[in-house]
């Protein structure tokens, strides 16, 4: 159940009650595609950096170790030793990214495993069954994520099929949640809005899926090649047509600036691989911009990554030491950078929630200026002033 606590314009401050605990929103979900965060981060670490939700991927866990294996071991929560909410993506994006290996039909998708080439079929029912075996808190509907350069005709047909698939997902989940051997009989279902960069298709699809009264709604198919301005335009058009009394999830996004822009447009849930991927390459986030710890200027820098930061890296280690670890290819260096970045994102979301709770200013934005500093500004900030600070900007939606 979603409880809206406060609004500031379109920005929402809420709580999402689940069988595995209450999620305070807006929230950033930490991505552990194969039931682990890349960078040698344990679930005990996640507890320490205030992670609220862990995200895993249905397709990857289906092919390895196998969803039946996970079910026999008690579901993802027991498998990972994690007692907070887990969201599982449906696997749809991964399936459709295998463009040369898949064939789409009304019943579902036929494709070959990226690991061993084994033939696999996945449709709405199969995706729900796998996610039920994983026993995640929130399951995502099986959808097609069409290319950002697909024709209007293709996207229209794709969206109509995704709507039909969503109805099948809902029916199958309702059935699975009544079975005596289902581990989580309170599993929730989020639907996904698609439509590329066509506002009218997106809006019509949002209206259609809103009628299904799902537990939450995602905006998918963004951060896959379109510009940030196009993404914000689509959010402006679509979010008002999604149910206000349900959480809204922007899939695969993104940079801190992207998140702040989307919160301002009414989005509650986020996920992205940027914090962990950038951390593994020595790129760390601070309130004064992003640092590359491989740079020689940090060789004798005895300061923490960020003064005042309470992450495991900053409480103990210097920039110079972490740089040494990275240069020496010691795994500890990568691990400390990933932990810092995840903490930065989690703490940023906490700051956003606090700002909405206390209404200290009309709305809290961290805006990057020409000197790569993050400044607090109010709603008068021009959209064009929001920069982006991640690497591989066109790959925000990728899983690791």
């Amino acid at each position: 159940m979603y409880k809206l606590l406060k609004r500031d314009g379109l920005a929402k401050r809420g709580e999402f009650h689940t069988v595995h605990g209450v999620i305070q929103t807006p929230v950033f979900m930490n991505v552990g595609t194969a039931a682990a965060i890349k960078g040698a981060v344990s679930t005990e670490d996640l507890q320490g950096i205030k992670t609220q939700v862990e995200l895993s991927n249905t397709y990857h866990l289906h092919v390895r170790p196998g969803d039946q294996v996970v079910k026999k071991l008690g579901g993802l929560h027991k498998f990972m030793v994690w007692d907070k909410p887990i969201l599982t993506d449906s696997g749809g994006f991964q399936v459709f990214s295998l463009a040369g290996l898949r064939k789409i039909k009304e019943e579902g998708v036929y494709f070959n495993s990226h690991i061993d080439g084994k033939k696999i079929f996945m449709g709405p029912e199969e995706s729900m069954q796998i996610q039920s075996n994983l026993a995640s808190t929130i399951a995502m509907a099986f959808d097609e994520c069409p290319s950002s350069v697909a024709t209007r005709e293709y996207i229209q047909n794709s969206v109509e099929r995704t709507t039909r698939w969503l109805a099948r997902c809902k029916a199958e989940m309702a059935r699975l949640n009544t079975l005596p051997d289902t581990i989580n009989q309170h599993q929730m279902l989020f639907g996904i809005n698609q439509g590329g960069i066509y506002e009218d298709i997106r809006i019509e699809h949002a209206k259609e899926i809103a009628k299904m009264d799902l537990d939450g709604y995602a905006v998918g198919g963004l951060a896959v090649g379109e510009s940030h301005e196009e993404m914000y335009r689509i959010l402006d058009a679509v979010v008002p047509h999604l149910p206000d009394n349900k959480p809204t999830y922007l899939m695969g996004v993104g940079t801190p600036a992207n998140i702040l822009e989307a919160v301002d447009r009414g989005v509650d849930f986020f996920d992205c691989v940027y914090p962990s991927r950038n951390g593994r390459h020595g790129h760390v986030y601070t309130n004064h911009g992003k640092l590359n710890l491989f740079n020689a200027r940090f060789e004798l820098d005895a300061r923490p990554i960020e003064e005042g930061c309470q992450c495991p890296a900053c409480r103990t280690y210097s920039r110079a030491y972490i740089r040494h670890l990275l240069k020496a290819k010691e795994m500890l260096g990568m691990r400390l950078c990933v932990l810092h970045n995840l903490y930065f994102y989690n703490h940023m979301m906490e700051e956003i929630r606090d700002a909405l709770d206390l209404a200290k200013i009309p709305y809290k934005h961290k805006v990057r200026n020409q000197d790569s500093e993050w400044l607090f500004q109010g709603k008068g900030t021009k959209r064009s002033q929001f920069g982006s600070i991640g690497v591989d900007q066109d790959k925000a939606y990728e899983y690791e």
Side-chain angles (χ1 to χ4, degrees):
M1 179 186 73
Y2 179 71
K3 182 179 180 181
L4 182 60
L5 302 177
K6 187 174 288 188
R7 298 208 73 145
D8 184 351
L10 295 177
K12 297 188 291 182
R13 171 70 175 94
E15 292 180 344
F16 191 51
H17 294 250
T18 79
V19 69
H20 296 116
V22 179
I23 302 168
Q24 301 294 327
T25 68
V27 63
F28 181 81
M29 299 181 287
N30 293 184
V31 180
T33 299
I37 309 286
K38 281 187 181 293
V41 176
S42 70
T43 49
E44 188 175 7
D45 292 323
L46 295 182
Q47 297 279 6
I49 60 172
K50 301 182 180 180
T51 298
Q52 291 197 76
V53 186
E54 190 274 346
L55 184 153
S56 291
N57 184 264
T58 298
Y59 164 71
H60 286 282
L61 292 173
H62 174 59
V63 296
R64 186 170 55 195
D67 54 286
Q68 289 290 349
V69 170
V70 175
K71 182 176 183 179
K72 289 174 183 176
L73 291 169
L76 266 182
H77 285 86
K78 287 188 176 180
F79 190 51
M80 296 174 61
V81 194
W82 176 249
D83 61 358
K84 293 181 180 180
I86 296 174
L87 182 145
T88 44
D89 196 1
S90 68
F93 179 78
Q94 283 64 48
V95 169
F96 292 105
S97 68
L98 302 172
L101 302 174
R102 47 85 169 166
K103 187 173 184 180
I104 307 170
K105 293 192 174 182
E106 183 64 28
E107 62 267 26
V109 185
Y110 297 85
F111 61 100
N112 295 339
S113 165
H114 74 289
I115 294 176
D116 56 11
K118 179 183 177 182
K119 290 184 178 179
I120 299 173
F121 170 77
M122 188 180 292
E125 291 79 12
E126 288 73 19
S127 178
M128 292 300 100
Q129 289 159 17
I130 294 167
Q131 293 184 79
S132 180
N133 288 340
L134 297 175
S136 58
T137 313
I138 302 167
M140 298 303 299
F142 189 68
D143 68 326
E144 179 181 0
C145 180
S147 167
S148 61
V149 297
T151 65
R152 180 185 175 89
E153 180 182 10
Y154 183 91
I155 288 179
Q156 182 69 64
N157 292 333
S158 169
V159 166
E160 291 173 0
R161 181 169 53 237
T162 286
T163 303
R164 295 190 293 272
W165 283 358
L166 178 56
R168 289 165 56 187
C169 285
K170 182 179 179 182
E172 180 64 5
M173 174 165 284
R175 184 187 74 84
L176 291 166
N177 281 351
T178 65
L179 299 180
D181 65 337
T182 294
I183 297 172
N184 178 16
Q185 296 181 334
H186 301 282
Q187 192 171 41
M188 296 172 161
L189 177 65
F190 280 21
I192 304 175
N193 170 262
Q194 293 286 359
I197 57 173
Y198 298 100
E199 290 183 24
D200 57 333
I201 296 177
R202 287 269 186 184
I203 291 170
E204 186 59 34
H205 190 227
K207 291 178 179 179
E208 194 65 28
I209 65 177
K211 298 174 185 176
M212 297 190 186
D213 191 29
L214 304 170
D215 298 298
Y217 293 85
V219 179
L222 295 177
V224 290
E226 80 288 345
S227 69
H228 291 167
E229 288 71 24
E230 286 178 311
M231 177 172 68
Y232 300 146
R233 174 177 60 82
I234 293 299
L235 291 176
D236 285 333
V238 172
V239 173
H241 296 281
L242 294 173
D244 203 38
N245 62 338
K246 303 291 177 72
T248 300
Y249 166 26
L250 179 56
M251 304 182 76
V253 176
T255 69
N258 293 155
I259 290 172
L260 289 158
E261 287 279 10
V263 166
D264 202 30
R265 290 164 166 82
V267 176
D268 301 273
F269 280 62
F270 300 87
D271 80 279
C272 191
V273 300
Y274 282 167
S276 54
R277 176 181 293 162
N278 285 346
R280 297 198 311 275
H281 292 88
H283 293 254
V284 290
Y285 293 92
T286 78
N287 284 313
H288 304 285
K290 184 162 63 70
L291 307 178
N292 179 357
L293 292 182
F294 277 99
N295 287 350
R297 66 189 177 102
F298 300 117
E299 184 177 15
L300 298 174
D301 196 334
R303 294 173 296 171
I305 294 171
E306 177 146 58
E307 298 284 355
C309 176
Q310 294 301 305
C311 81
C314 291
R315 288 201 311 265
T316 308
Y317 303 106
S318 68
R319 296 175 179 183
Y321 178 63
I322 296 173
R323 178 182 183 275
H324 155 69
L325 295 174
L326 292 168
K327 296 285 285 185
K329 294 183 169 53
E330 290 287 347
M331 185 172 288
L332 178 58
M334 174 179 71
R335 170 178 152 77
L336 291 173
C337 290
V338 171
L339 283 171
H340 169 82
N341 282 351
L342 291 175
Y343 179 89
F344 178 90
Y345 267 68
N346 292 341
H347 185 62
M348 178 180 72
M349 304 310 294
E350 189 175 23
E351 287 183 314
I352 292 171
R353 293 192 299 271
D354 288 346
L356 291 170
D357 282 338
L358 301 175
K360 290 183 289 190
I361 54 177
Y363 186 65
K364 184 179 182 181
H365 279 302
K366 288 182 179 180
V367 185
R368 193 183 183 195
N369 69 10
Q370 293 179 349
D371 296 323
S372 298
E373 295 286 330
W374 291 95
L375 303 176
F376 293 112
Q377 294 191 9
K379 275 190 174 179
T381 303
K382 294 180 181 178
R383 300 296 181 193
S384 60
Q385 286 182 292
F386 287 80
S388 57
I389 63 176
V391 295
D392 297 331
Q393 296 296 327
D394 293 333
K395 299 181 179 179
Y397 207 106
E398 287 187 357
Y399 283 83
E400 303 189 282

